[in-house]
Every structure is written in structure tokens, then in C-alpha cells.
Amino acid sequence: MITVLIVGTGNVGFHLFNAFSASKTINVTQVSSRKLNDLPKADVTILAVSDDAIVEVSKKIKNSFVVHVSGSKSINELNNKTNKGVFYMLQTFSKEKPIDFNKVPFCLEAQNDDDFKLLENLAKSLGEQIYNINSEKRKVLHVAAVFANNFTNHMYKIAKDICDKHDISFKVLLPLINETSLKINYLDPKESQTGPAIRNDEKTILNHLTLLSENQKEIYKILTKSIQNGN
Amino acid sequence: MITVLIVGTGNVGFHLFNAFSASKTINVTQVSSRKLNDLPKADVTILAVSDDAIVEVSKKIKNSFVVHVSGSKSINELNNKTNKGVFYMLQTFSKEKPIDFNKVPFCLEAQNDDDFKLLENLAKSLGEQIYNINSEKRKVLHVAAVFANNFTNHMYKIAKDICDKHDISFKVLLPLINETSLKINYLDPKESQTGPAIRNDEKTILNHLTLLSENQKEIYKILTKSIQNGN
């Protein structure tokens, strides 16, 4: 039995608590980050708090092994005097939707093998995709995730804005969006690029630009240039 | 029984021919666009040729109803003297992978109700998502698709470049990519945006910029600005 204390009641804390509660090998407790007095002891204390709160919250925790869940913060952001680690789940969470933890990559970091093994067992109780990622690599992964998730989502948003403006249902684009992301599971994105940019189809490109707002035009041009330059 | 003649042997022609061949209500023939003499008669002649070939190929066809399959070209690009139409499938096709036509939106256009009905029956023999989209709207849809497909794929490509450069497996990002696109089926992309840009997290943004190439930096900045401005 591994005892886990979750500090924080946001999205990540919520889903982690539910998932650990369902596991027979985990004994989990959850507290708000505003109530740090008389914390129960635990094998692992998981700070599921906002990035900016890690320094202050970790300072107040005396438990033996404290980890944060942030993609962008180093392990050294933790200010506890005991052992440190990171339990980063590279996935997008929303409170309304249940998480399929088998589709969550666990990016783990610890200061020694025993602690890593403990985090690994914790992750294995929830899912199966487990990676050893140090703070430097996690930072890189986090910026890559901004492109893969935030910026991709912004492309969807612009596509929807264009449809809305011309009274076209965004629904027409959903199958294409889903297929584009499925392709990535077996085809290198560089190899699977199609469209006017990679074809150097200047006529279509100029035609497209006439339909866009100034902001959309700027983005269209810069991404077209980037695709054409292969960078 | 509807008789169909497909002119062109590329990706789209290949998949259409296979799909129609499997349908009991369609009698399909396929010819290369380089052999336009003595074409068999057909209820619908589908030009599955490149955008730039539509004018020249359509000029040589005497069949009663000729349609093209292009997202970016107007119905008036067709140069035949008889009836015209468009049979545009808004999906990404690759020759290696079979198409699930139930996931293909058929965007149809014709000059009269009877012709439209014919195209609709043709589409219904393959799939179920059928839309009446005129040339002007199809052009808009095509530029929206560039954002939703080509530019999104380019975001994946940049994410992979970042991973490759730092010796991190791109595989770690695949679950996030897939989940991001699934979310779009039930959440407005504007509502579901997360990450440092929408949070105005300048510290993380500056941190990210230090990890990027000049070209990646330029794209990161412009998309961050666009997310923050809500446009």
C-alpha cells in the first residue's frame, strides 16, 4: 500500500484523487493548499497547485517526499527540505470529462532510484505510459506541447471564426480535424503535409489571403513561408 | 442504377473508383485524363484531376453532366458545354490508407435540383454527411481547412522538430495531440484554450522562447499574441 497526500483541489488534483481512490494499492487523502497545518504523513505528497504556488506551498511541507505536477517548472522549484520529485502528466484535463489514464504519459523525475521506483509504482497503478524525463527535457517537452496543443487549438479556433463569419457550419470540418490528428500516429508530420503551401500553389494562396482578416493573413503568410522553407 | 465515369487516376480517383465499385447502385468506369477520346457515356462524369487541369480536361468532355472535385475552384472553372457541378469531399486522402466514407463530408453543388439530387444519391451510396455548398462558401471552407489541416499538421511538425533536437521521443506527445482534436467534437475551441498564452504567463513564455529556433520563435510570438488578443 502506498500512501499519497494530494495538496490542491483544482482539475489535476480532482482527477488524481478520483483515480487513486479507485486503486486498491493506493491510500489517498486530499487537502486544500490553503490548509497546510497538521498535514497527514504520506509516502508521497503531490503538490497539485498552480506553477506560481509551488515555491511557497512546498516550503511549508515537512513530509518525506514531495513532488510537483508542473510541465514547466524544474524539480528545484520545490522548497521542501526533504526529497523532491516531479509527477508530470502530459495531457489536457477538463473537470467535466473523465480521464482515460491509459492515454496519459507520466513524465517522472526523482533524486534517487528508490524515489523514482515509488513514482513509477504510483503511475503504474493508473496507467501504462511511463517516461523518465529530467527537468531540462521536461521544459523542452512543455514548449513542444504548446505547439501540439495550444497552437493547434488556436488553428481550430481560427478555422471556426472563418466558418462563423460566412455562416458555414464548423461541423463540416470536424472529420478532417480528427483524421489529421489520427494520421500523426503512423505518419511523420513532415511527410504527410499537403495543401497549397507545400505545393507552392501561389494562385490559391493569393486567393485565400483575400478571404482573411489582417491577423489571419499575418498567420497564414508566416506559416505558409515556414512550411515552404521546411522549418 | 447510376452510371459514373471517373476521369483521373490520382488519390481521389483511386478511392472513389474503389468505393463506387463496391456499391450495388453504381456502375462505374475509370479512365486516365490523358485518354479522352471515345469516352463512355455516363449520368455523371467526375473529373478527379488536379485543379489546374480542370479547364483543359472539361473542355474536351461532351457527356451531359460534368463535375469536378476541387475545394478551391468555382463551378465555373468547368468548360464543358453541358451541365456542371461539384463533388467535393472535405477530407485528407492518402493512397495507402482505406477511407471510411462515413467520415467524409460531401460538399455538393449543381445548377439545378435534378442534378443536385443525382449528386446527393451518389454521395448517399458512399456516406452520410452531405452538404449543399456553393462555390463561394466552398472557397471559404477551403481556406478554413488549410488552418484546420495543413497548419495544424505544421504545428505537429514543429513539435516533433523540437523533440528530435533534444532527443525526446515524439511519442510522448501523441496522446495530447489526439485528445486535443477529440475535444473539438464537443467543446468550442475558444472555450477550451489553455496554456501560457491565454493565462498571460509572461515568465513561462519568455522561458519557452529561449528554447526555440528563430523561425519557431517568430511563430510562437505571433500565435501567442493572436491567442491573447482573441483573434
Side-chain angles (χ1 to χ4, degrees), chain A residues 146 151 154 219, chain B residues 196-198 200-202 205 208-209 217-230:
Chain A
V146 166
F151 291 167
H154 194 55
I219 293 172
Chain B
I198 196 79
N200 287 303
D201 180 351
E202 289 303 325
I205 291 168
H208 280 172
L209 289 173
K217 244 183 239 178
E218 195 185 3
I219 293 172
Y220 188 104
K221 280 185 193 167
I222 207 173
L223 293 180
T224 293
K225 192 186 72 183
S226 175
I227 292 172
Q228 292 178 335
N229 292 342

Side-chain angles (χ1 to χ4, degrees), chain A residues 64-98:
Chain A
S64 56
F65 182 31
V66 180
V67 306
H68 71 60
V69 299
S70 165
S72 63
K73 295 294 182 183
S74 160
I75 192 172
N76 295 320
E77 191 86 358
L78 290 163
N79 238 324
N80 57 305
K81 300 271 186 280
T82 50
N83 285 7
K84 304 172 185 187
V86 180
F87 193 85
Y88 173 50
M89 290 161 290
L90 183 46
Q91 190 46 284
T92 168
F93 294 96
S94 43
K95 215 156 194 168
E96 315 83 48
K97 209 196 156 199

Side-chain angles (χ1 to χ4, degrees), chain B residues 6-22:
Chain B
I6 297 172
V7 178
T9 51
N11 261 345
V12 175
F14 169 84
H15 284 296
L16 268 184
F17 179 77
N18 285 345
F20 284 138
S21 296

Side-chain angles (χ1 to χ4, degrees), chain A residues 92 97 154 179 183 226, chain B residues 92 97 154 179 183 186 226:
Chain A
T92 168
K97 209 196 156 199
H154 194 55
E179 185 66 25
K183 249 188 183 176
S226 176
Chain B
T92 168
K97 209 197 155 197
H154 194 55
E179 185 65 24
K183 251 190 181 175
Y186 56 91
S226 175

Side-chain angles (χ1 to χ4, degrees), chain A residues 102-114:
Chain A
N102 284 325
K103 289 181 183 158
V104 173
F106 293 88
C107 303
L108 310 179
E109 181 178 9
Q111 294 171 310
N112 63 59
D113 288 352
D114 283 351

Side-chain angles (χ1 to χ4, degrees), chain A residues 9 13 20-21 25 37 44 48 50 52 64 70 85 106 125 130 137-138 141 151 158 166 171 182 190 193 197:
Chain A
T9 52
F20 284 138
S21 297
T25 58
N37 300 326
V44 189
S50 69
D52 288 338
S64 56
S70 165
F106 293 88
S125 77
I130 294 164
K137 287 200 171 177
R138 195 174 55 255
L141 208 45
F151 291 167
I158 292 175
H166 295 269
K171 238 182 86 184
L182 287 177
K190 194 174 175 165
Q193 186 60 278

